[in-house]
Amino acid sequence: MARNVKSQGGKFIYALVDVGEESPAYRVTGLNKERVYGINVGNIGAVVSDIQSGRVRPERRHLMAHRAVLAHLLELGSVLPMRFGTIASSSPAVQALLSSNRVAIEDQLQRVRQRVEMGLRVNWDVGNIYEHFVAMHPILREMRDYVMQEEHNRREEKIELGRMFDRLVQEERERHTAAVIEVLRGYCEEVVANPTKHEKEVMNLACLVDKAGQAEFEKGVFQASKRFNNDFLFDYNGPWAPHNFVDLDLQTPSQSANRAAVG
């Protein structure tokens, strides 16, 4: 358990991977500059480093070390990234975790084998998103003009105006997202639409792409962008470990791992 990590030699788990006859020598250091190595059961393994605490704060240096390990593993093969902060109490605990979930892990590794995650964010590239929508939607402009009249400037009407704006923004997001996904399905294995993070963000997509098909994915982004005018900014990124395409809730025998979750 987490409280016994120091005495047992805790293991910070970065990812689950395919294992060949020999574990590779990882050319990267982990959290606190610790050596990164594998703990294996059969043809699957966990990539770990030693840690003397049962919990790790998500500080920038720790997150960067975590990402660096995942990036290195992605160069070597298929990766099931673990959620940041997954810690097992000992090497036997890691082996028990692998043994208890072996079939599920193998299935998920097959799903992402020779694939990477690419991201695509699309934003409205306009100065004021509200004024942009007022100009684009006569119904919103009429409601705005009505509410701004002194005799109609009541709180309830302002609230309704805000709701109308939010509804139109969401409808536009859904319509544009569907249009982009329609194009990208020809260039990706799978596409996931994640929640938008700010008002000007139109969509935040995660795309599962064949490692050898990254150039084709870029072509797909270009093809999708041609459907839009200059009010939209397309920004793709990656490759990343496939966080958004791993559906694996690990069972932790005897509470042997803390927060054993993938993604």
Side-chain angles (χ1 to χ4, degrees), residues 6 31 58 62 70 85 100 107 133 148 173 178 201 242 248 260:
K6 186 172 182 179
L31 270 70
H62 292 150
L70 291 179
S100 298
D107 287 346
F133 267 74
M148 292 304 292
R173 283 186 176 130
E201 190 166 71
L248 185 58

Side-chain angles (χ1 to χ4, degrees), residues 9-80:
K11 310 299 175 185
F12 185 98
I13 309 178
Y14 299 92
L16 308 178
V17 297
D18 286 313
V19 176
E21 293 184 1
E22 296 183 4
S23 294
Y26 298 115
R27 301 184 306 277
V28 65
T29 56
L31 270 70
N32 302 318
K33 302 297 183 181
E34 291 285 350
R35 181 176 70 91
V36 173
Y37 59 97
I39 298 175
N40 306 329
V41 171
N43 61 342
I44 59 174
V47 179
V48 307
S49 65
D50 296 336
I51 192 166
Q52 299 302 316
S53 173
R55 182 171 298 177
V56 179
R57 293 176 61 85
E59 299 174 3
R60 185 176 184 277
R61 62 190 179 97
H62 292 150
L63 293 171
M64 293 298 290
H66 187 247
R67 292 169 185 167
V69 173
L70 291 179
H72 178 61
L73 296 177
L74 198 60
E75 293 176 356
L76 300 178
S78 304
V79 179
L80 294 181

Side-chain angles (χ1 to χ4, degrees), residues 10 15 24 58 65 72 87-88 93 108-109 114 126 137 144 149 154 165-166 177 184 212-213 226 238 240 251 257 262:
H72 178 61
I87 300 173
Q108 290 294 302
L109 280 168
Q114 294 304 314
V126 296
H137 296 274
R144 189 276 309 268
Q149 296 177 43
R154 294 194 295 267
F165 169 68
D166 291 340
T177 299
L184 290 184
K226 292 199 297 186
W240 313 109
Q251 302 301 310
V262 179

Side-chain angles (χ1 to χ4, degrees), residues 22-241:
E22 296 183 4
S23 294
Y26 298 115
R27 301 184 306 277
V28 65
T29 56
L31 270 70
N32 302 318
K33 302 297 183 181
E34 291 285 350
R35 181 176 70 91
V36 173
Y37 59 97
I39 298 175
N40 306 329
V41 171
N43 61 342
I44 59 174
V47 179
V48 307
S49 65
D50 296 336
I51 192 166
Q52 299 302 316
S53 173
R55 182 171 298 177
V56 179
R57 293 176 61 85
E59 299 174 3
R60 185 176 184 277
R61 62 190 179 97
H62 292 150
L63 293 171
M64 293 298 290
H66 187 247
R67 292 169 185 167
V69 173
L70 291 179
H72 178 61
L73 296 177
L74 198 60
E75 293 176 356
L76 300 178
S78 304
V79 179
L80 294 181
M82 296 292 282
R83 184 179 301 165
F84 178 86
T86 302
I87 300 173
S89 58
S90 62
S91 292
V94 175
Q95 292 175 320
L97 185 72
L98 295 174
S99 296
S100 298
N101 298 275
R102 184 168 181 169
V103 173
I105 293 169
E106 289 174 345
D107 287 346
Q108 290 294 302
L109 280 168
Q110 178 61 35
R111 181 185 182 190
V112 302
R113 187 161 285 125
Q114 294 304 314
R115 294 176 175 89
V116 297
E117 180 174 316
M118 299 293 291
L120 173 63
R121 293 181 184 272
V122 180
N123 292 286
W124 278 291
D125 190 22
V126 296
N128 185 304
I129 187 65
Y130 177 73
E131 293 299 331
H132 173 73
F133 267 74
V134 166
M136 294 292 293
H137 296 274
I139 188 172
L140 183 64
R141 182 167 62 252
E142 292 171 7
M143 183 65 173
R144 189 276 309 268
D145 293 344
Y146 174 82
V147 169
M148 292 304 292
Q149 296 177 43
E150 186 174 350
E151 64 270 24
H152 299 297
N153 195 5
R154 294 194 295 267
R155 180 174 181 273
E156 294 81 1
E157 292 166 339
K158 289 182 177 180
I159 292 174
E160 181 56 32
L161 176 63
R163 288 173 178 165
M164 180 182 290
F165 169 68
D166 291 340
R167 184 169 61 252
L168 288 170
V169 169
Q170 187 57 32
E171 289 174 355
E172 288 285 282
R173 283 186 176 130
E174 292 172 0
R175 182 169 65 87
H176 295 320
T177 299
V180 170
I181 290 178
E182 180 184 359
V183 176
L184 290 184
R185 287 200 188 281
Y187 300 88
C188 306
E189 299 288 337
E190 299 179 46
V191 182
V192 171
N194 290 312
T196 54
K197 295 183 178 180
H198 57 81
E199 194 173 55
K200 287 188 178 181
E201 190 166 71
V202 183
M203 68 192 77
N204 174 15
L205 302 181
C207 306
L208 189 64
V209 177
D210 189 280
K211 273 189 175 182
Q214 293 177 54
E216 286 299 307
F217 170 76
E218 294 174 12
K219 291 180 182 178
V221 172
F222 177 72
Q223 290 298 322
S225 70
K226 292 199 297 186
R227 295 191 175 194
F228 294 77
N229 61 28
N230 292 334
D231 291 335
F232 298 86
L233 179 64
F234 280 64
D235 180 24
Y236 66 89
N237 55 79
W240 313 109

